[in-house]
Amino acid sequence: MSVLARSVGNAFRNKIRTAAVVAVLAVAIGLALSMLVANQAVGAKVQELNASVGTTLTVNPAGGQGFEGGGEPLTAAEAATAAAVPNITSVVGTKALRLRTETTTTDTADAAAGAAQPDAGGPGGQAASVTTSLTAAVDAGTLGNRNNTGSGTGTGTTNGTEPARTFTLPITATGTAAEVDSSGKALDITSGTGLGDYSAASTKALVGTTLAEKNNLKVGSTFTIAGKTYTVAGIFDAGTTFGNNAVYLTLAEAQALAETPGELSSMVVTVNSMENVDSTKTALQAALGASKADVTQGQRNLETAVSSLNSVKGISLVAYIAALATAGLIILLIMVMLVRERRREIGVLKAIGARNRTIGLQFVLEALVLVALGSVVGAAIASFASGGIASALVSSNSSTAAGATGQRGPGGGPGGPFGGATQLLTSVTASASPGVIAAGIAAVFAVAIIGALVPALLTARIRPIEVLRGE
Amino acid sequence: MIEVKDLVRQFKSGDRTIKPVNGVSFELGKGQLASIVGKSGSGKSTLLSLLGALDKPTSGDVVVDGVSLAGLPDGKLTEYRRRDIGFVFQQFNLIPNLSAVDNVMLPMEFADVRKSARAQRAKELLEQVQLDPEKHSRRTNRLSGGEQQRVAIARALANEPKLILADEPTGNLDEQTGEHIIELLSSLSRDHDTTILVVTHDRGLARKADRRFRLHQGQLNEDVTAGR
Ligand SMILES: Nc1ncnc2c1ncn2[C@@H]1O[C@H](COP(=O)(O)OP(=O)(O)OP(=O)(O)O)[C@@H](O)[C@H]1O
Ligand SMILES: [Mg+2]
């Protein structure tokens, strides 16, 4: 019989009470572990989001984001100015083009209609429109057709002559000075190679997966833009249907096609670290001048998503600490009760020569036996509940977050203003990883030891003469 | 061996104070067997608790082998109880959820005796007090009063104490078992030089005692009419 064996025995002395104590402890511990898991999961998601927003800023011509925008185009001079701002590691200029599918019949009326719609050239009117042999991989759909006829009505003159004209969505061609997309993310080239030297004019092109499929293009295939033949050097996957309905050219090539050499439709600026993004954004805006350029940070809705996730992280941390403290308090109260109940027995142990620390240790170990049982059941509860708890926390919080996010430009994006944020938030998956659970249980034990130490110290004050007192 | 000097223990009950031990002085030599009688409530258990350092006297001192208990810190008093004293409580005070053997092994565990030696000695002691071997591993709250009393005696002997303080050790035993216990105690005092102080109303035990005391109104008086 050792102290430990005695402690284990004592923990089961009153089985019904032990079961009740373990159940209550399990709930507290399970809650604590769930909150810890949720906290970790949300923390990981925040990090992931921060990494994906990354350290890039986008520079557009002033007012260039709306449909009614004007202003002066960006040039190489602005790129040089931007590159000189502290903390900026790279500046990548891009030039966007809209590619229209060549009509097979040489219908001059249609061609004229296309040319007569410069404002269909997209935001800021800065994307020049040229023809291509490619067919868009995305159907215009109801919205596309409605948008198109809408703008046709605006021009007025040719409206009545073509009531049944179907419209194909344009294909985006982007001239880029580096192998990145328009948000600064590296392109994911799934077959073939990149364009090599992105600063020189070249007849090589990168084509999105769906666009390549639609047009039966493989690495080495050719197609035309504005009558000029281009070779597919590589096929990339942007992850979205719209993103894959695109072509990348070198910057100089796109500028030549648009007949606007030296002009940029936007610049992607990379900042050296997350912490410097905000200050650099301000500095860059000041350097370029508010009348000349707009500096924006990545996907803006991510900011609200991140901040709402951060508040979920805060809530789960507080709940974790509270649940942990509750477990400690339960242990404290139970052990105080046990010590009072066993006063006489503690007196006996002292009367036959037990040291205070032996008795204290015995009670701490007994508390740990209860906590160990509570932890086993609690961990089981947590592995069941943590996913649900995390998503409940996140979705209750995202309803407010989504409301705040609904300030995107007119036309929205795929999924609409609400879809984006909610998808982002519910994609937090909380799985109880063994490492986190182990760390959580270690913390529970630490708290339990503190909780049990108080009553254990109380046993030191019980005098051996208690043994002669009646029950 | 043990020297008691003008020992006083008073309790406050309500507005009056009672002094069950009020100026007790006596000496016992090594290996002596002494008995104490006295009316119920006269303070016999209180006196034993003072000698066994379970309680502290209001005044006076107990000196054991030249060491004054009054001057010892709590840690040393614990050591004194563990090493030098074997206490047989009037109410046995066994740990109810432990087996008889485990109860007897407890003082040895506290004295850091090796585990195998503990079990061996516990078994021998339980045999000496004539506890049925099949009851050795039975939880003590499932033993009869007399069985518990014998386990309590075995536990008191565990660390081979030099002073045994026994409070009515034969109170729950039949005559035959009682006599056996009396014989056990007197042989300990005779052959092992163990000093024994027994509170008892058992005439057989009193007859075996070297010294006989009577506690009356807080005073301890020796009965010098007859010896062993
Ligand atoms: N802690 C205490 N507080 C107040 N009074 C006490 C306390 N302990 C003992 N007494 C009183 O001291 C007196 C002596 O008690 P004690 O237990 O020593 O008697 P006893 O001689 O052992 O009696 P018995 O033969 O019935 O066991 C009793 O009157 C008892 O009520
Ligand atoms: Mg008594």
Side-chain angles (χ1 to χ4, degrees):
Chain A
M1 204 70 186
S2 63
V3 183
L4 179 61
R6 228 171 18 255
S7 303
V8 175
N10 281 343
F12 292 103
R13 242 159 114 162
N14 183 334
K15 293 196 178 62
I16 293 172
R17 184 167 64 198
T18 300
V21 169
V22 166
V24 176
L25 270 177
V27 169
I29 294 171
L31 189 61
L33 293 178
S34 302
M35 285 303 156
L36 182 62
V37 169
N39 179 271
Q40 299 288 310
V42 172
K45 185 69 187 179
V46 166
Q47 234 170 29
E48 184 193 310
L49 286 181
N50 276 337
S52 79
V53 178
T55 52
T56 56
L57 298 171
T58 306
V59 183
N60 287 300
Q65 285 205 301
F67 281 118
E68 317 300 331
E72 293 301 314
L74 297 168
T75 65
E78 274 79 38
T81 311
V85 173
N87 296 327
I88 287 180
T89 52
S90 80
V91 177
V92 176
T94 63
K95 176 69 194 174
L97 295 170
R98 284 164 71 88
L99 306 182
R100 294 201 161 277
T101 309
E102 289 162 359
T103 39
T104 41
T105 55
T106 47
D107 186 346
T108 46
D110 254 9
Q117 296 170 0
D119 62 334
Q126 50 169 334
S129 198
V130 291
T131 57
T132 179
S133 63
L134 298 174
T135 309
V138 181
D139 286 335
T142 311
L143 288 177
N145 282 321
R146 189 188 299 156
N147 284 344
N148 184 60
T149 32
S151 69
T153 314
T155 48
T157 48
T158 53
N159 185 27
T161 64
E162 41 171 9
R165 195 185 79 137
T166 51
F167 170 73
T168 48
L169 278 187
I171 300 157
T172 310
T174 308
T176 177
E179 201 167 286
V180 293
D181 67 12
S182 54
S183 67
K185 252 170 49 190
L187 285 172
D188 177 15
I189 296 176
T190 53
S191 68
T193 60
L195 299 181
D197 182 1
Y198 283 81
S199 58
S202 156
T203 56
K204 287 195 277 187
L206 297 173
V207 181
T209 49
T210 50
L211 188 61
E213 213 172 296
K214 177 87 177 177
N215 294 282
N216 288 322
L217 296 178
K218 303 214 160 26
V219 173
S221 309
T222 59
F223 62 95
T224 65
I225 300 174
K228 188 171 171 183
T229 305
Y230 289 85
T231 313
V232 177
I235 292 175
F236 68 88
D237 183 7
T240 64
T241 320
F242 276 79
N244 283 334
N245 185 38
V247 175
Y248 280 94
L249 302 170
T250 65
L251 178 60
E253 189 65 34
Q255 286 170 335
L257 277 173
E259 294 166 3
T260 54
E263 262 187 40
L264 302 171
S265 26
S266 72
M267 299 190 292
V268 176
V269 172
T270 307
V271 181
N272 58 4
S273 76
M274 268 315 282
E275 301 87 75
N276 291 332
V277 168
D278 280 345
S279 62
T280 307
K281 184 181 166 192
T282 317
L284 181 59
Q285 183 69 73
L288 296 173
S291 62
K292 186 75 188 165
D294 281 339
V295 180
T296 52
Q297 184 184 0
Q299 294 151 281
R300 269 182 304 163
N301 64 332
L302 282 184
E303 276 176 51
T304 33
V306 165
S307 83
S308 89
L309 279 180
N310 267 330
S311 78
V312 172
K313 200 178 160 207
I315 292 166
S316 59
L317 184 68
V318 169
Y320 167 63
I321 293 170
L324 212 55
T326 306
L329 198 64
I330 292 168
I331 282 292
L332 178 83
L333 295 177
I334 289 297
M335 294 317 287
V336 166
M337 194 180 85
L338 286 178
V339 167
R340 288 182 62 110
E341 204 177 271
R342 296 201 204 131
R343 267 184 103 76
R344 186 186 171 109
E345 189 175 310
I346 293 165
V348 174
L349 293 174
K350 292 195 173 184
I352 63 176
R355 297 172 184 86
N356 282 340
R357 63 180 146 90
T358 309
I359 297 169
L361 178 66
Q362 182 184 317
F363 275 84
V364 170
L365 288 177
E366 181 171 345
L368 292 187
V369 170
L370 294 175
V371 171
L373 291 172
S375 295
V376 170
V377 183
I381 292 176
S383 58
F384 264 112
S386 57
I389 288 178
S391 56
L393 266 178
V394 166
S395 61
S396 72
N397 219 273
S398 66
S399 53
T400 49
T405 326
Q407 28 150 291
R408 278 205 203 164
F418 291 87
T422 315
Q423 262 170 14
L424 208 63
L425 292 168
T426 48
S427 65
V428 174
T429 47
S431 58
S433 85
V436 172
I437 291 278
I441 288 179
V444 168
F445 271 79
V447 170
I449 289 174
I450 295 169
L453 223 47
V454 177
L457 290 176
L458 284 180
T459 62
R461 299 170 52 137
I462 294 173
R463 290 168 310 134
I465 191 63
E466 293 290 337
V467 79
L468 295 190
R469 301 265 155 81
E471 303 276 347
Chain B
M1 187 267 159
I2 184 164
E3 194 184 345
V4 177
K5 297 176 181 168
D6 205 15
L7 210 56
V8 177
R9 180 67 170 105
Q10 66 179 36
F11 296 110
K12 285 205 168 54
S13 73
D15 46 355
R16 59 188 207 100
T17 57
I18 54 164
K19 294 184 175 174
V21 176
N22 191 9
V24 168
S25 299
F26 68 97
E27 274 179 55
L28 281 182
K30 207 168 167 58
Q32 279 192 328
L33 173 61
S35 69
I36 301 179
V37 292
K39 275 198 268 184
S40 177
S42 59
K44 305 180 295 292
S45 298
T46 304
L47 178 59
L48 284 200
S49 71
L50 294 172
L51 303 184
L54 302 183
D55 197 8
K56 289 184 175 163
T58 310
S59 67
D61 197 4
V62 177
V63 180
V64 180
D65 286 340
V67 179
S68 155
L69 296 188
L72 292 182
D74 281 355
K76 287 282 178 201
L77 290 177
T78 303
E79 190 184 324
Y80 165 71
R81 290 192 295 267
R82 183 166 64 235
R83 275 193 7 204
D84 298 342
I85 300 291
F87 217 113
V88 182
F89 301 98
Q90 198 170 4
Q91 265 117 23
F92 325 135
N93 283 324
L94 299 171
I95 307 297
N97 66 327
L98 296 186
S99 70
V101 174
D102 285 338
N103 266 281
V104 177
M105 291 201 303
L106 265 186
M108 294 187 262
E109 179 197 318
F110 299 149
D112 301 321
V113 174
R114 276 205 357 267
K115 212 166 180 173
S116 54
R118 276 185 233 164
Q120 181 60 30
R121 178 157 171 78
K123 190 165 163 281
E124 286 167 10
L125 286 169
L126 287 173
E127 280 164 6
Q128 277 185 36
V129 297
Q130 295 186 328
L131 187 73
D132 206 343
E134 68 181 32
K135 291 174 181 165
H136 285 193
S137 50
R138 187 180 290 186
R139 288 167 53 157
T140 53
N141 58 0
R142 296 189 185 149
L143 294 177
S144 75
E147 287 163 344
Q148 289 187 43
Q149 185 148 43
R150 282 175 282 157
V151 176
I153 292 164
R155 183 177 68 182
L157 305 181
N159 284 337
E160 298 180 342
K162 48 187 184 188
L163 175 63
I164 290 174
L165 302 168
D167 206 341
E168 303 270 14
T170 56
N172 288 271
L173 302 179
D174 60 273
E175 208 171 323
Q176 200 189 335
T177 316
E179 256 161 36
H180 175 78
I181 294 298
I182 291 161
E183 187 47 46
L184 178 66
L185 291 176
S186 67
S187 82
L188 276 173
S189 77
R190 228 176 16 233
D191 308 333
H192 291 87
D193 263 358
T194 309
T195 308
I196 301 177
L197 186 57
V198 210
V199 171
T200 185
H201 289 97
D202 187 304
R203 285 168 192 246
L205 184 47
R207 216 179 302 129
K208 290 242 158 145
D210 304 305
R211 316 267 302 269
R212 279 179 288 280
F213 296 96
R214 176 174 298 274
L215 189 60
H216 181 63
Q217 293 185 337
Q219 305 286 316
L220 194 70
N221 301 306
E222 188 160 3
D223 181 357
V224 287
T225 48
R228 200 196 273 214

